[in-house]
Amino acid sequence: MAELVFFSGTMDCGKSTLALQMDHNHRARGRGGLIFTRLDRAGEAVLSSRLGLATGAIEVTDAMDLWDVVVAHRTGGHRVDYVICDEAQFYTPTQVEQLARLVDDMEVDVFAFGITADFRPQLFPGSRRLIELADRVQVPQVEALCWCGRRATHNARIVDGVMVVEGEQVVVGDTSGTAAGEVEYEVLCRRHFMRRMNSRAARAAALSADVLPLELAACALPAPGDDPHGG
Ligand SMILES: [Zn+2]
C-alpha cells in the first residue's frame, strides 16, 4: 500500500539528509523515483543537505501540476514508484492534494519533508495541508538544539542580528544586500522564541549584568566561564 508520509520538523534537524538517504534506499532496491524541491538553499533544481550531499531535483513552481509531472514521466517510459518532496512547506495546498491523489490513484509512495511553522510562528499552507492529509506525520530522530541546549522547536527569523516576528512568510536566507537587511534563521526552544532571545541577544544580555534576564540565570549559557550570578 502506498503512503503519504510527512517528515516535519524545524530547520537543522536533518530533513534533507534524510530525504537523500530515503531516495538512495529505494533506488538501491530497484525502485524508480522523482525528487522535487523548492527554494533549496543551494539554488534551483538541487536538493542539498547541510552535510554537503546534493542531487539534482525538479524545481516546483506555483503553477506546476505534480500529478501531471508523474504521468508524463510514466508515459515517457520511466518508472515512478515513489516521489521525494523536499522543502514541502513551500508547495501549494493544491499540490499537496495532487500528491495525495498520486498515492491513492497511482500507488506512488510520497515522502514529503518540510518545516511545519514559519517564524511568526504560523503553519505554512503546504505543511498544514500535509498534516491534514498525510497517512503519517513523523518527526525526524535527530533533534535540532537551541543555543541553551534544549530541543529547538521554533524557527526564528533574524534580520541584521535582531529577531523579528513580522514580515513576508517566505524569505530565503543569505539574501544579504537587499533593502530588508541580512536575513538569517536560527532554531530556538519555545521559551527563548517567546522571549525573542536568539543567541546573539543572549550573549549581549549576558555581557550586561544590568539587563540580565531572570530566565538566563536558570539555564546554561554557551560561553564557558560565565557566572550568571556575578556582577
Ligand atoms: Zn533555549
Side-chain angles (χ1 to χ4, degrees), residues 17-207:
T17 305
L18 183 58
L20 286 163
Q21 183 73 48
M22 187 77 87
D23 178 59
H24 173 83
N25 291 356
H26 284 264
R27 219 167 273 281
R29 290 285 171 265
R31 305 184 83 203
L34 289 178
I35 300 176
F36 293 99
T37 190
R38 183 160 195 186
L39 301 173
D40 186 282
R41 67 187 80 84
E44 275 201 10
V46 178
L47 191 174
S48 73
S49 86
R50 283 176 207 276
L51 299 187
L53 305 168
T55 190
I58 298 168
E59 183 77 15
V60 174
T61 61
D62 273 345
M64 185 179 284
D65 187 320
L66 303 181
W67 169 275
D68 287 349
V69 172
V70 171
V71 168
H73 271 77
R74 282 195 166 179
T75 305
H78 303 284
R79 288 185 64 164
V80 183
D81 302 308
Y82 66 93
V83 298
I84 306 276
C85 299
D86 202 34
E87 308 289 355
Q89 71 274 8
F90 296 141
Y91 300 10
T92 67
T94 302
Q95 285 166 336
V96 173
E97 286 157 25
Q98 291 158 2
L99 293 173
R101 270 185 69 208
L102 287 171
V103 175
D104 295 339
D105 298 355
M106 270 203 262
E107 284 288 318
V108 173
D109 279 314
V110 175
F111 306 111
F113 300 81
I115 295 167
T116 319
D118 67 20
F119 67 98
R120 294 178 287 191
Q122 290 175 14
L123 290 174
F124 283 98
S127 302
R128 173 191 294 271
R129 203 74 187 117
L130 277 162
I131 291 167
E132 289 165 347
L133 296 181
D135 294 294
R136 285 188 289 141
V137 176
Q138 293 208 177
V139 178
Q141 294 296 302
V142 177
E143 296 183 336
L145 299 179
C146 179
W147 57 266
C148 72
R150 286 190 184 83
R151 189 165 85 89
T153 49
H154 289 69
N155 299 294
R157 178 180 292 175
I158 317 291
V159 178
D160 290 335
V162 178
M163 181 176 157
V164 299
V165 291
E166 287 173 6
E168 295 279 309
Q169 183 169 52
V170 180
V171 176
V172 178
D174 306 326
T175 55
S176 51
T178 66
E182 189 183 354
V183 176
E184 306 165 282
Y185 291 89
E186 181 176 347
V187 293
L188 299 174
C189 67
R190 187 188 57 244
R191 162 187 292 238
H192 288 124
F193 183 89
M194 299 304 270
R195 288 168 173 78
R196 301 195 192 179
M197 185 68 64
N198 57 318
S199 55
R200 190 156 141 180
R203 273 197 302 275
L207 289 172

